[in-house]
Every structure is written in C-alpha cells, then in structure tokens.
Amino acid sequence: MKNIDSYTHLRGESLFVDDMMIRQDALFGLCFDSPKAHGKITKVDYSKAAALEGVERIFTYKDILGENQIGGIIPDEPLWAEDEVHFWGQPIAFIVATSEAIAKKARALIEIEIEELHVITTAKEAKEKGSFINAPRSFNLGNTSDTFKNCDYVFEGETFSNGQEHLYLETQGCYVEPKENGNIKITSSTQGPTQVQKTAAKVLGIPMHRIEVDVIRLGGGFGGKEDQATPWAVMAAVAVQHLNKPVKYMLNRHDDLRMTGKRHPYSSFFKIGLTKDLKIQGFEVEFLQNSGAAADLSPAIAERTLFHATNSYFIPNVKTTVYSCKTNLPPNTAFRGFGGPQGMFVIESAIAAAADNMGIDKATIQEANLLVENDEFSYGQIATEVQATKAWETAKEKFNLEALQKEVSDYNTQNYQTKKGISVMPIAFGISFTNTPMNHARALIHIYQDGSVGVSTGAVEMGQSVNTKMLQVAQDILGISADLVKLESTNTTRVANTSPSAASSTADLNGKAVEMACNNLIKRLQKVASTLLSKNIESITFQEGAVFIDGYKTALTWEAVIAQAMLERVALTENAHYATPIIHFDKTKEKGHPFAYHVYGTAITTITLDCLRGTYEIDAVDIVHDFGKSMNLGIDIGQVEGALAQGIGWMTMEEIAYDTDGRLLSNALSTYKVPDVFSAAKKVAVVPLETEGNPMAIKKSKAVGEPPLMYGIGSYFAIQHAVKAFNKNHKLQFNAPFTPEKVLMSLYEK
Ligand code: LUZ
Ligand code: MOS
C-alpha cells in the first residue's frame, strides 16, 4: 500500500493552507513582535503605520473581547503583550492590510520604546535566580543515598543538550473566514484543531460551536504545530471578528524562526553508581529545562523527560528531578520525542562517563543493564513484553557488532590522521500521552449509497502518512478496495474534542476508533446480507468487495448489499469513540501505568573522523527496530529514517544560538545547519525485530513517529569514541550538538 498522497505530492498538486482559494475581499495579516527580550513597554506609536494606504487596521490586546490568554496548561501567556515583553519575538500587535507587502511596510513604521529589564537566557541562571514556570517534579524508586555508599564506582557529571528548530517545510499559517451570524471558519496548519478552536473561542469571547476548524494537511509539524499553530489562527480570528472579512496569515521563514519556540535545551547534573559486576545500582539526575518565557507544553515535556531518564535500562534506585526554568526565550515547545530524548542523552552520558573512568567499553555497561521482563520503571509501571535484550542481541548478531568493533580498533591503530568511532544506542519509548485523559479519539464513517466510503477522524496528516494507515484499517475491515475509501480533512464539526496529533499515538487512537466504527457497520451489513442470501450471520464476511459465506466468495457484491441496506433504511453512518484501556497515573504519588506499551530498538553507529579538520562522516547506522507487526513497512521505515536524520541533526550540527540579549542569532538557514544529503549516514539499514506486536497498537503495528529519533543519540557517542582514539587526554564532555568546531577543540586539547 503506497502513501495515498504520493501521487499529488509528486505532481505538486497536494493542497496546503497557502494553496486555498481565498475570497476576493480577503485581507492579509502580519504580526508585530517585540524587538527586545525583556522590558516594560513605555510607548508604542502605530500612527504612521495605520496611516499607510492599504492598512485596514492594527489590532492589539485592547481589541480582545474575551480573554487575552492562550496558555494551554498554565494561563501565563497573553496573545498580545500588554505592558511588558518577556521574549524577543513576542507578539504585540497584528497588522491587517490589503496585501502582505503593505503589512510589511507598515510594520517597519511602528515605533516602540522599551525600558529594558534583565534578560535570562540560560536555565542555570534561571535556577540560581529562582525563576521557574511551576514547582519541580521528582520520580523516585528505591533509595539512592544508601546505594551510593555500597557502590564500587560512583561518578558525577554535567550535560547540556541544545534546542532544535522544527523547520517544518511549510511555515505556520492560517486562513480565517467569517460565516453568517458571527460564526467563523478557521483553516489552520495545526496538529491540534481543537486547541485552535478552544483558544479562539476563549480569546474572542464566544462559544466553541461558533468556530469550525479545518485542517487539510501539514507540510510537517514535528511538535512545532502542537501548541504553536494556535496564536496565528487566533490573531486572524480576532481580526475577522471585528472586520467581518477573511484574513490570511502565512508566516515567512524569518518571522517563524524568530517568534516560535523550539526543542527545550537542558542542563543536567548526574550521579551514577555501579558495582564491580557493572550493574548500575543508583542514578540521580537534576534536569534544568530551559522552558522559555511561558509554560506552553513545558510541564508535560518535563514529565516525559522523567519517564525516559533511565532509557531501556533497569536501575533499582533512581532519584530524578526536573525544574522548568523560566527564561527570556520564546516559549519552548513540543518536538518529536517531547523531552524523552533530552532525558535519554543524560543516562547515555552517565554511562559513557562511567565507562571512560573505568577504562572499559560503554557497550559493556549498557548490555549489562538492559531492562528485562517485570522490571519496574521509576514511575511504577512494570515492564512487560520487553524487547530490550532481543533488540540488542539481534543487532549484535545481524550486524556483527564484534567484527565492527574490531574493524574500528584495527583502523585506529593503523591510521593517525583519521579515526573511526562506534556506538550502540538502545531505546525504550513509552507510547500514550503521559496525561491519561488525552488518550482518546473518534471516527465518523459514512458509507454512501453507491458503496463508496468517507472517513473522518481526529488525526491530522502532517506527512507521517496517518491517512494512509486510516484508509488501510477501513478498507481491511469493510473488505473493499482502496479506491472506494476517501480520507476527509480533519474538521472540528465532524470530529470534536480531539487530542492533538502527537505523542506517536495518532494512528493507534484514531485507528482504533475507525476499527470500532467499521466493525459496527459490518455487523449491520452482515444482517442485510444474511437475509438476502438466507444464510446465518456468523457465516458471512466481507472481502474483495463481495460477500463471502464460510470463506467462499458469492456473487453478492458490496455495492448490492449497500443498495439493499438503503432500501431497508439501515444506518450507513457510524461514529465510534476509543479510549485507551488500562492506563492510569497518580500525580500525587508519581506512580502508575501511564503507557499502553513501549517501543524498543537498538542502533549501531559507525563514523569516520578527519582529525585535521574536525569534520566527520557517518559511515553507517544499523538499526533493529520493534515495529510490532508493521501494517505498512514502507511508511514505517520512512519514519525511522526521517527520525534518525532529525536525531543526528540535533546531536551533531543543529546549533541554536541566542546572544546574551536574547536575540536569536541562528535566524536563517545560512546560520542554522540541518542535515542534508551530504551529511546523511552513508548507509542506513533498518531490520524489523520479529515480535508478536501489541494488541493496544493498531493492527498490532506499533507507534513509530518518535522512538527512532533517539537512535540519533548514538552519533554523539560514536564521534566521542573517535575523538578519544585520537586524543587520549580528551576529557569527555557531554555538550550537544558535537559540532566540528567542538570536535576540533577536543582533538587538540592538552
Ligand atoms: N504531547 C502531549 C506529546 O501533549 N503529551 C505527550 O505525552 C506527548 N508526548 C509526545 C509528543 N507529544
Ligand atoms: Mo509531538 S512532539 O507534537 O508528538
């Protein structure tokens, strides 16, 4: 089954928000944002801008009829700044004009005076000054302080992992139209249509049913449109409410880079204790999350960091604490992995530090501590259907790890100017929104009277091919060909109260709802067919567009059954609701069973380092991945490859830089390097791990969106290995991304 969008994508015919036919009287919006990171607004003069020919109106917080509040988890973020600004790029006003060019000209004419206040850009400084988003959280298991006393080895260290720009190819944007009676239709490039609807209703001061949000598809989201697609749509909606004319707002790349939050940078402090048999007995971490100037999704992301602090290892004594530190950066937000990668980088760093100090191979410690059946995570969930050892062993055998390790060490004894490095990176990623109440979805299925089918769900297509998977589920259960099934846009009037498409869970949640709805329809159709054929209901199945009796095809077609169902006035529409069973979590105890299941895997990364230049090439990434029973291996391998590239980018080259005044320096693709074809791994092998699959995964095909990003962490340690092979004096640092500049400094450190 090919991705159903591939044909129109290839021909440039797929529609995105920016391709929509807009009304003749449509206007164009543009955000005016803060030119300082922190301060009091003492004066803003819009008069010159407002007087410009073609400027319809400039909106500020004073024009808000509801609440000037867009914070989702904590109400701490205004749509437009009032008297103070807290980050460079914070929205202050919204210019609406007859063209984008005029709005841009007008923006340059706005005069603003800001009395500057002290700017905090790092989590460490925020912690020192007591600047936090909320109270810290801790997950604990066993007793670490007693444990360390009994350990043969105890090591401490510090790590830093930088942020990451989402760089969705399609920037943020929306098109908003007035309908009758003050109703509004928003077309948005969002992962969370309900979040847009709910926030717009709150800011406009109208009930949710007056607002319809429609999503065609996204040109990439990666978490950047889970929460942060909302403000632009709401700004345009405020303008539409006042002007009663359509408003379109597509951000240009510079504005998008400057105004939106990114992956959270983390500074972390660890302490790891091991016994002689290489068992990790105790692990403590303090995570400092650089949350930015408002909460956004930071508390949920911090929580997922704690959930992944021990990666795929069992550690009996764990003490982890996360502080969401309030700084003067744009509010950092969801990004593929959602705090999990940041947590996993720290345990991998701790193991690397231990191995280096003990003079042994990192992989030896990793292998000795892999999670096994019935081990307990620090949050109380008991690990079941654990694939950690199987994935590790399979990778070790399939890719001949010992031979690879020997090749690397032989190469390094024979070569001086170039060195090779190797690392093994196991992963264990929890599937479900960590916030239990968000784990639900609905599907609405129409069978039209000619037998064709329309499927609506809460899933947003953002290039991950979720629509193809939804189609596969429907066609499989209804037993009809793919061309009879159409995936509709994601629309809040058809499927309401949706959770965002996020947490790798979209296909599971929405797919299960599609499955339920289709099964209900089939039950009704079995009855119709049973009467037509005078056979009992149990013997009837639907396959290949026909009715089968006891597994034998009859002449009765799908279309004929539907026609008969119409005559008998049988309901051909079905709506189903799915909520993940079993999961629960008690925040007062920080214990529970938050995940439906975990996804496992192991990656072996080999690199070659040029010790004169500090540049490196990734020779190969060899992966064994736990897909469960993949329902579409082409799509799923695509997800692994894309996530891997994104993970390697985060760990090696993507360097977000703010100056001490809080201004984004890496504000264009000339100063922010993302992986391209030249930096991609020369060889990527993805071998599916043979497993039973989990019944909570859709068709036993496990969630695949986020877990493989963390294979990219292996690239950091492979480079570190090569650096150490060249310079024995190198004192390990855990400061990602490991850019060629940092590598060069490490190579010649005395
Ligand atoms: N979004 C969210 C997520 O709201 N909750 C989550 O647990 C999550 N996990 C991964 C990615 N997005
Ligand atoms: Mo996400 S990080 O929007 O699953």
Side-chain angles (χ1 to χ4, degrees):
M1 177 80 198
K2 270 202 295 197
N3 177 336
I4 54 173
D5 281 342
S6 55
Y7 183 81
T8 53
H9 276 0
L10 193 66
R11 294 166 61 93
E13 291 171 355
S14 299
L15 297 181
F16 297 82
V17 189
D18 200 25
D19 299 313
M20 282 182 72
M21 187 74 83
I22 59 173
R23 246 167 64 172
Q24 252 175 357
D25 57 346
L27 298 165
F28 297 85
L30 185 71
C31 192
F32 168 67
D33 58 296
S34 176
K36 293 289 170 200
H38 193 197
K40 290 194 163 62
I41 301 175
T42 51
K43 196 185 136 201
V44 199
D45 185 354
Y46 296 108
S47 57
K48 283 184 196 147
L52 192 71
E53 168 97 34
V55 172
E56 190 90 1
R57 190 162 156 183
I58 299 173
F59 294 90
T60 68
Y61 72 93
K62 292 175 184 155
D63 300 299
I64 291 174
L65 303 181
E67 278 180 68
N68 183 22
Q69 184 52 249
I70 60 168
I73 298 180
I74 300 173
D76 67 350
E77 189 177 0
L79 178 67
W80 289 309
E82 300 191 1
D83 325 311
E84 283 189 2
V85 286
H86 294 271
F87 64 93
W88 199 300
Q90 181 173 356
I92 297 172
F94 190 61
I95 305 154
V96 176
T98 50
S99 78
E100 253 176 41
I102 292 171
K104 216 168 167 188
K105 246 188 213 164
R107 182 162 76 176
L109 296 173
I110 297 173
E111 291 164 7
I112 184 162
E113 285 171 19
I114 293 172
E115 190 187 306
E116 290 183 57
L117 296 168
H118 178 71
V119 172
I120 301 178
T121 59
T122 65
K124 275 191 189 176
E125 186 185 345
K127 167 110 193 298
E128 274 163 28
K129 301 217 155 99
S131 171
F132 300 113
I133 295 286
N134 58 354
R137 297 265 303 267
S138 288
F139 287 6
N140 301 310
L141 181 70
N143 178 328
T144 46
S145 42
D146 288 352
T147 304
F148 287 131
K149 284 181 221 137
N150 301 322
C151 282
D152 301 306
Y153 308 97
V154 177
F155 306 104
E156 291 180 68
E158 180 179 347
T159 72
F160 177 76
S161 61
N162 207 336
Q164 186 176 22
E165 164 58 39
H166 303 85
L167 215 86
Y168 23 64
L169 277 184
E170 177 208 31
T171 54
Q172 305 273 5
C174 61
Y175 172 61
V176 184
E177 265 184 9
K179 299 287 176 188
E180 302 168 332
N181 299 317
N183 299 329
I184 288 174
K185 179 171 178 183
I186 299 175
T187 305
S188 165
S189 176
T190 180
Q191 291 174 238
T194 293
Q195 196 58 26
V196 170
Q197 181 194 24
K198 185 175 161 186
T199 311
K202 182 179 188 176
V203 175
L204 271 59
I206 60 177
M208 284 171 75
H209 75 264
R210 295 213 165 276
I211 296 171
E212 170 187 354
V213 179
D214 191 80
V215 184
I216 313 167
R217 63 159 62 72
L218 276 50
F222 310 115
K225 296 170 181 171
E226 181 173 339
D227 239 33
Q228 299 206 0
T230 302
W232 330 108
V234 176
M235 287 178 204
V238 170
V240 168
Q241 186 183 31
H242 285 276
L243 300 170
N244 200 36
K245 282 186 187 171
V247 174
K248 180 173 173 173
Y249 182 25
M250 293 298 305
L251 276 70
N252 70 34
R253 184 64 68 183
H254 272 106
D255 285 7
D256 189 307
L257 290 171
R258 182 178 69 252
M259 294 194 280
T260 64
K262 318 193 181 303
R263 183 188 293 284
H264 293 75
Y266 273 62
S267 289
S268 311
F269 304 88
F270 67 79
K271 186 172 178 182
I272 188 168
L274 303 90
T275 38
K276 282 209 178 71
D277 58 359
L278 304 183
K279 291 280 181 198
I280 305 171
Q281 299 294 349
F283 184 53
E284 285 182 0
V285 200
E286 181 178 286
F287 294 105
L288 307 186
Q289 176 198 61
N290 187 334
S291 312
D296 192 275
L297 290 161
S298 296
I301 292 159
E303 183 178 58
R304 193 173 271 280
T305 300
L306 297 185
F307 282 118
H308 292 84
T310 56
N311 189 13
S312 69
Y313 309 108
F314 172 64
I315 307 179
N317 301 284
V318 178
K319 184 174 161 192
T320 55
T321 302
V322 61
Y323 291 86
S324 290
C325 302
K326 190 169 179 167
T327 61
N328 299 106
L329 299 185
N332 285 316
T333 194
F335 194 135
R336 207 171 190 173
F338 206 73
Q342 291 96 318
M344 283 158 64
F345 180 65
V346 180
I347 178 71
E348 293 303 324
S349 297
I351 294 173
D356 187 53
N357 278 295
M358 293 158 72
I360 59 170
D361 194 28
K362 178 172 183 259
T364 320
I365 301 180
Q366 290 173 303
E367 192 173 359
N369 291 279
L370 291 172
L371 203 64
V372 301
E373 204 70 9
N374 296 321
D375 278 343
E376 183 177 351
F377 288 103
S378 67
Y379 46 93
Q381 182 158 343
I382 304 300
T384 53
E385 292 182 38
V386 180
Q387 308 293 342
T389 304
K390 188 168 177 191
W392 180 286
E393 289 297 327
T394 308
K396 195 171 164 177
E397 280 165 34
K398 277 243 158 40
F399 303 117
N400 208 344
L401 178 61
E402 273 156 32
L404 283 175
Q405 283 167 327
K406 185 166 183 305
E407 247 173 66
V408 167
S409 83
D410 288 351
Y411 183 95
N412 288 346
T413 41
Q414 287 153 19
N415 292 272
Y416 176 70
Q417 211 153 305
T418 59
K419 296 287 182 191
K420 281 192 185 287
I422 184 166
S423 75
V424 190
M425 181 66 201
I427 60 153
F429 195 79
I431 302 302
S432 288
F433 286 95
T434 57
N435 183 24
T436 304
M438 291 172 76
N439 294 283
H440 59 81
R442 281 151 304 287
L444 175 69
I445 317 264
H446 298 314
I447 302 175
Y448 295 98
Q449 53 193 283
D450 64 354
S452 63
V453 175
V455 176
S456 294
T457 73
V460 168
E461 175 59 57
M462 50 184 138
Q464 86 282 44
S465 312
V466 70
N467 280 353
T468 305
K469 289 191 172 177
M470 296 305 97
L471 187 148
Q472 282 183 267
V473 173
Q475 104 170 94
D476 186 45
I477 297 174
L478 301 177
I480 54 180
S481 68
D483 55 2
L484 277 185
V485 184
K486 179 189 170 211
L487 258 290
E488 306 290 353
S489 66
T490 315
N491 186 299
T492 55
T493 61
R494 272 179 270 115
V495 179
N497 306 322
T498 57
S499 289
S501 285
S504 305
S505 304
T506 311
D508 278 2
L509 298 172
N510 291 277
K512 290 279 187 180
V514 171
E515 197 171 75
M516 288 166 76
C518 289
N519 279 326
N520 291 345
L521 287 162
I522 284 295
K523 273 192 208 124
R524 288 178 213 149
L525 297 174
Q526 276 171 327
K527 218 168 144 192
V528 174
S530 139
T531 315
L532 277 174
L533 297 170
S534 312
K535 298 281 178 190
N536 57 8
I537 289 179
E538 297 73 50
S539 65
I540 292 171
T541 53
F542 288 82
Q543 296 168 58
E544 300 169 24
V547 175
F548 280 59
I549 302 284
D550 294 327
Y552 291 99
K553 193 170 185 170
T554 69
L556 184 60
T557 64
W558 165 261
E559 285 82 0
V561 176
I562 299 304
Q564 181 63 24
M566 279 298 290
L567 293 176
E568 292 178 20
R569 297 181 291 168
V570 171
L572 293 175
T573 288
E574 183 68 358
N575 173 58
H577 170 87
Y578 174 76
T580 313
I582 298 170
I583 55 171
H584 59 87
F585 194 71
D586 181 349
K587 281 195 185 180
T588 63
K589 300 195 176 79
E590 302 287 30
K591 297 282 177 193
H593 187 107
F595 298 119
Y597 56 87
H598 285 79
V599 170
Y600 297 88
T602 299
I604 300 172
T605 306
T606 44
I607 70 112
T608 305
L609 176 63
D610 178 332
C611 300
L612 203 57
R613 297 179 179 83
T615 54
Y616 43 79
E617 285 185 328
I618 305 208
D619 300 324
V621 184
D622 293 319
I623 297 171
V624 169
H625 185 79
D626 165 26
F627 294 101
K629 293 229 174 298
S630 174
M631 66 187 285
N632 192 320
L633 204 56
I635 285 171
D636 285 349
I637 287 179
Q639 285 293 305
V640 174
E641 291 172 347
L644 171 70
Q646 212 161 24
I648 291 175
W650 172 53
M651 279 286 115
T652 64
M653 68 179 75
E654 298 185 41
E655 195 165 35
I656 301 252
Y658 290 95
D659 68 13
T660 50
D661 294 331
R663 185 169 69 100
L664 181 67
L665 297 174
S666 50
N667 65 351
L669 291 182
S670 54
T671 47
Y672 187 75
K673 182 82 187 83
V674 290
D676 56 19
V677 68
F678 301 107
S679 51
K682 289 212 207 62
K683 180 188 144 236
V684 177
V686 183
V687 174
L689 185 67
E690 279 172 33
T691 68
E692 271 311 298
N694 189 291
M696 301 240 266
I698 183 64
K699 289 167 137 283
K700 298 195 172 183
S701 181
K702 282 188 166 184
V704 71
E706 296 173 294
L709 183 131
M710 284 146 273
Y711 294 135
I713 295 173
S715 63
Y716 188 98
F717 294 97
I719 295 167
Q720 188 176 62
H721 180 207
V723 169
K724 193 80 191 185
F726 181 83
N727 181 8
K728 298 278 171 282
N729 292 328
H730 172 55
K731 193 170 171 315
L732 297 195
Q733 282 172 19
F734 307 102
N735 181 0
F738 212 167
T739 57
E741 291 87 341
K742 286 186 200 160
V743 169
L744 197 59
M745 300 297 280
S746 308
L747 286 169
Y748 297 98
E749 169 190 313
K750 291 251 158 56

